[in-house]
Amino acid sequence: MNRISFTFLAAVMFVYPGAAHAASLSIETDTGAYGIGDTFIATVRIDNGDACINAAEVQVEYPIGTLRAVDFSRGDSIFSLWIQDPQLDTERGVVSFAGGTPGGYCGRVQGDPSQSNILGKIVFSVVGPDTGTTALTFSPASRVYLHDGLGSVASVEFKGASLSVEDKPTLTKNPWLEAVKSDATPPESFVLQVRSDREVFNGKYYIVFSTTDKQSGLDHYEIAEGGAWKRITSPYVVKPRALDDGVQVRAVDKAGNVRVGDFDPQAIPPRQYTYTEMISYGLFFAMAFVAVLIRLYMARRDRRARE
């Protein structure tokens, strides 16, 4: 994402005083020792230090000769707004994502036993053939933004993970598959918001939507069009007829559980036409009006000629 636009988004997500103290990004794994053929989960966490943060851009790098990123879970993330969906670049060995939390994140609530500092979970498979010691590291391009109303970049300490890789599997089960199989709960309820702005999609109607899934994590969204379900992302341009018929969007989690979003046809705002459209419509009506005047004039002239 463009650095300027991301900083702007970080700045406008509500204002809360932040202090310029160091935050840290860290990667944790269950055991740190895996074998070729194993699948494991690496958890990306944030320690906000003494500051309040509201957004982060994260890039995790890994050796493609030993590991392969196969999935990403947002289920336990503190992010409620995903500015960049997780991207798994298996050719370069990079997992990247960017998100934020409106209202800011100022650390775990005192007395809360839950691990409420998770940004996301990356699922890796050990592919070999290299064995020995390898590492998961953060790219220097990773950023954390303070919740100070300015989008200030926080000072960040990076803590990667060191892994020992053996030539044979060490795990008896795939923890990611087990987590997905145990998920029988659909994503959280969500609402489809219909909008029309002159500066966005040339005034065309579009829908905005977002939800979370606190177990296996959200996988994708789908919209019902032409008698079939089609994958989409938010925001999404819709035709006026679709609004008349009733928009159906569903969220699907990693386990295949589905939640259909709520749509209120009474909440559709007036269409905001662009200035070009307004000028075009104005010229059209003006020409139509002139044409009517000409026909009336000619009809009157012909009537007088017959008298």
Side-chain angles (χ1 to χ4, degrees), residues 271-283:
R271 166 77 192 278
Q272 298 293 311
Y273 294 98
T274 64
Y275 296 115
T276 301
E277 288 177 315
M278 289 190 290
I279 292 173
S280 298
Y281 292 144
L283 289 174

Side-chain angles (χ1 to χ4, degrees), residues 256-302:
N257 301 306
V258 172
R259 173 80 70 180
V260 177
D262 296 323
F263 171 68
D264 182 5
Q266 303 301 319
I268 300 175
R271 166 77 192 278
Q272 298 293 311
Y273 294 98
T274 64
Y275 296 115
T276 301
E277 288 177 315
M278 289 190 290
I279 292 173
S280 298
Y281 292 144
L283 289 174
F284 172 79
F285 287 115
M287 293 174 64
F289 180 70
V290 170
V292 170
L293 291 178
I294 292 174
R295 291 189 64 181
L296 291 173
Y297 170 78
M298 294 179 66
R300 183 177 181 183
R301 185 189 63 181
D302 292 344

Side-chain angles (χ1 to χ4, degrees), residues 97-284:
F97 61 94
T101 172
Y105 174 74
C106 300
R108 293 174 58 186
V109 177
Q110 188 173 6
D112 183 2
S114 64
Q115 298 294 315
S116 57
N117 63 343
I118 296 174
L119 299 186
K121 296 180 179 180
I122 308 171
V123 184
F124 287 101
S125 287
V126 184
V127 296
D130 297 334
T131 58
T133 301
T134 191
L136 302 173
T137 59
F138 289 100
S139 163
S142 299
R143 295 286 186 275
V144 173
Y145 295 88
L146 294 173
H147 190 49
D148 60 359
L150 302 173
S152 304
V153 178
S155 175
V156 182
E157 179 183 3
F158 298 127
K159 301 176 182 179
S162 180
L163 307 175
S164 174
V165 179
E166 302 177 9
D167 58 359
K168 294 181 180 180
T170 63
L171 302 179
T172 58
K173 294 182 179 181
N174 183 323
W176 177 234
L177 289 181
E178 293 295 317
V180 171
K181 288 180 181 178
S182 66
D183 182 5
T185 304
E188 300 293 324
S189 300
F190 65 104
V191 176
L192 306 179
Q193 298 181 18
V194 182
R195 297 179 183 175
S196 174
D197 302 292
R198 290 189 181 93
E199 307 301 325
V200 182
F201 300 124
N202 293 321
K204 296 178 181 178
Y205 279 117
Y206 65 96
I207 52 175
V208 178
F209 45 89
S210 177
T211 188
T212 58
D213 183 272
K214 290 301 182 182
Q215 288 185 263
S216 60
L218 192 67
D219 188 71
H220 66 275
Y221 295 95
E222 298 176 346
I223 189 170
E225 283 187 346
W229 290 96
K230 165 185 159 185
R231 288 197 180 199
I232 61 171
T233 56
S234 178
Y236 182 78
V237 176
V238 292
K239 297 179 180 179
R241 181 169 181 177
L243 297 176
D244 295 336
D245 295 340
V247 180
Q248 283 188 297
V249 172
R250 65 186 187 186
V252 184
D253 67 16
K254 300 285 186 180
N257 301 306
V258 172
R259 173 80 70 180
V260 177
D262 296 323
F263 171 68
D264 182 5
Q266 303 301 319
I268 300 175
R271 166 77 192 278
Q272 298 293 311
Y273 294 98
T274 64
Y275 296 115
T276 301
E277 288 177 315
M278 289 190 290
I279 292 173
S280 298
Y281 292 144
L283 289 174
F284 172 79

